Amino acid sequence: MLRSLMVLSAIVFVQSAGPSKTLQANGPEITFDLPLVVAAVSNSCDSNGARLVDVELKLSSMIVAPEPKRIDQWIVRCQPRDRAMQISDYAPQTEVASPVQGPIQIKTTDENANTAGLSVNGAFSHFASGSLGVDQSNKVTESLQYDRVSAVQTVTAAGTINRGRGVYFKLKWTEQQVLEGEKTFRLTFRVPDQWRGGLIDVSVIAQSEKKSFGGWDKEVVTLGNAHFVVAAYNDGDQTAFEVAKSLSNAEDALRRAAIQHLKKRNDSLPSLVRSVTQIFDTKDRNRSIRWVERLLLDNTNPYSDKEILELPVQTRVIAIDYCEAREKFARLNEPSPIETTMSDVADAGEPTKRYSAAKPVVE
């Protein structure tokens, strides 16, 4: 036991020489925020008569580092989960700009000069002298002036991903565009007539290009990243809005429960071990709440996932409540039980069972 304490003390001593620098290097230098519930406003139909809706995503960023590194670009990806939501349009489109305002004026001058001269001197005896000279000069000047378009660079690049099902935006930090504050992205979706809502995965990453010693190699450094699950509901549908709001509250409760669980776990550690853990707080936190990101991405089952099964019962209940709220929002586009029953009666001539969802049992 004494030997173990000596090893831990050595680790604390070595790392305590500069813990603030370690935390600053591991922590994000820029944070992002995005409303989790947005309204999908009906737009005019497309050329084929399909229904169009507009969704505005207001992404906010804040630089938290006192002396941040240079932020070269953002990469934002937007992907709807519902295959019935097809991308029709998006904004901003690809834009270019130049640091020079107006055209560049160029003037060239061509000058030719020809000179010829003749001089004769003579003297007659001792009484007289004379000089004769001839000089001829010819000068031609030609001037040409024209405007040249100044060079441009990409300010915003945008396009589709996943064979047209999603959209990406790449924003560059230039003299005309600062990557801090709020940026608005508009997505236009082609949806069915009875569409009431859908989930959109939005990911954003801030990157900086770092040159190595000598400038031979370049390294891309991530300064901050985030992932959001946005619930877009049909504008004017109060029921859909309430279900989307419940989903947002369930996600907020899920994140709070995960952070609280991590805090309790760290508080339960001995003080010496907790000092070592705090040095690697960022990495430890990301590793401990990784199950939250997998749950938000709908890549895990709360009833069978190993990490979730090891959580306290109260935290597991919150995780299951979030999954229930997400499933309830996804069922907005399904026909109501009465409509399903009437349709089945008309098609098959006999009634069918109404839709019912079994309430999961938590041990």
Side-chain angles (χ1 to χ4, degrees), residues 116-124 129-135:
L118 175 63
S119 179
V120 178
N121 295 322
F124 295 95
S129 65
S131 176
L132 175 64
V134 178
D135 190 9

Side-chain angles (χ1 to χ4, degrees), residues 100-111:
V100 179
Q101 185 176 4
I104 300 176
Q105 294 185 353
I106 299 177
K107 182 178 181 179
T108 61
T109 303
D110 188 6
E111 181 176 320

Side-chain angles (χ1 to χ4, degrees), residues 61-304:
S61 66
M62 179 177 64
I63 298 177
V64 295
E67 296 181 0
K69 299 183 181 68
R70 171 186 171 91
I71 302 176
D72 290 324
Q73 67 178 6
W74 285 4
I75 299 179
V76 183
R77 295 182 178 90
C78 306
Q79 176 72 53
R81 295 187 183 181
D82 188 0
R83 290 188 173 275
M85 300 174 62
Q86 300 293 328
I87 292 291
S88 177
D89 196 6
Y90 50 88
Q93 300 283 345
T94 300
E95 300 176 358
V96 294
S98 173
V100 179
Q101 185 176 4
I104 300 176
Q105 294 185 353
I106 299 177
K107 182 178 181 179
T108 61
T109 303
D110 188 6
E111 181 176 320
N112 295 322
N114 298 321
T115 304
L118 175 63
S119 179
V120 178
N121 295 322
F124 295 95
S125 180
H126 300 284
F127 303 100
S129 65
S131 176
L132 175 64
V134 178
D135 190 9
Q136 180 180 1
S137 177
N138 184 18
K139 184 177 181 180
V140 179
T141 302
E142 182 179 355
S143 177
L144 176 63
Q145 181 174 339
Y146 60 93
D147 294 340
R148 187 177 68 183
V149 179
S150 57
V152 296
Q153 58 182 347
T154 303
V155 176
T156 301
T160 59
I161 57 176
N162 297 334
R163 297 190 176 184
R165 294 200 61 249
V167 178
Y168 82 90
F169 301 95
K170 183 184 294 185
L171 283 68
K172 297 284 188 178
W173 190 306
T174 64
E175 296 179 358
Q176 292 84 14
Q177 179 169 259
V178 177
L179 299 182
E180 187 177 15
E182 183 180 282
K183 302 291 183 183
T184 301
F185 303 91
R186 180 182 56 82
L187 307 177
T188 301
F189 294 100
R190 187 184 302 107
V191 297
D193 292 337
Q194 302 302 322
W195 182 86
R196 302 181 65 187
L199 297 177
I200 306 173
D201 287 306
V202 180
S203 64
V204 55
I205 181 171
Q207 296 178 333
S208 175
E209 188 176 74
K210 179 182 178 182
K211 294 184 178 180
S212 63
F213 180 76
W216 295 100
D217 297 330
K218 295 181 180 180
E219 179 185 2
V220 178
V221 180
T222 298
L223 303 179
N225 62 81
H227 178 268
F228 303 95
V229 181
V230 179
Y233 69 95
N234 188 28
D235 189 27
D237 191 333
Q238 186 63 27
T239 302
F241 169 74
E242 296 295 338
V243 177
K245 196 66 177 176
S246 299
L247 176 60
S248 175
N249 294 335
E251 179 180 336
D252 183 65
L254 178 66
R255 293 184 182 272
R256 291 178 181 272
I259 296 176
Q260 187 68 20
H261 168 66
L262 179 61
K263 183 177 182 298
K264 289 182 179 180
R265 195 196 67 173
N266 290 339
D267 291 342
S268 63
L269 297 174
S271 59
L272 185 59
V273 179
R274 186 165 60 249
S275 299
V276 179
T277 304
Q278 289 176 353
I279 297 176
F280 305 99
D281 178 70
T282 302
K283 294 183 179 179
D284 181 71
R285 177 176 174 178
N286 292 338
R287 181 171 58 253
S288 301
I289 63 175
R290 192 181 304 163
W291 60 271
V292 177
E293 298 299 328
R294 290 191 286 106
L295 196 65
L296 293 176
L297 292 173
D298 198 15
N299 291 335
T300 186
N301 188 337
Y303 298 102
S304 59

